[in-house]
Amino acid sequence: MAQPKRRWSKARTHAKRSTWKKEQPAYTTCPHCHEPVMPHRVCKNCGYYDGKEVIAKKENKDA
């Protein structure tokens, strides 16, 4: 197999890796409670997904 004649410089390596950045996760708003939610996941605040209650949340009886 062929071998490279010279080693890549550090500048060239860093320039190549400069596009390896992580993306911020995309958030949408829950249509039921208007909290930020990651797409295609159940809302942790109200327990709704796709307009249906998936997880029943307990009500606080502090009052």
Side-chain angles (χ1 to χ4, degrees):
M1 221 175 132
Q3 294 295 316
K5 290 196 184 260
R6 282 185 292 273
R7 177 182 158 177
W8 275 32
S9 68
K10 291 175 188 171
R12 191 169 182 174
T13 303
H14 294 309
K16 187 176 176 77
R17 290 181 187 156
S18 68
T19 59
W20 288 12
K21 294 180 176 70
K22 276 190 168 181
E23 294 179 8
Q24 288 286 350
Y27 283 97
T28 59
T29 56
C30 174
H32 190 258
C33 67
H34 307 292
E35 289 287 320
V37 179
M38 288 189 75
H40 306 289
R41 291 189 177 57
V42 177
C43 178
K44 292 180 183 179
N45 190 38
C46 64
Y48 275 70
Y49 177 74
D50 197 27
K52 299 173 205 119
E53 188 175 14
V54 179
I55 301 170
K57 294 287 183 173
K58 293 181 181 177
E59 295 291 326
N60 289 339
K61 295 186 178 179
D62 293 334

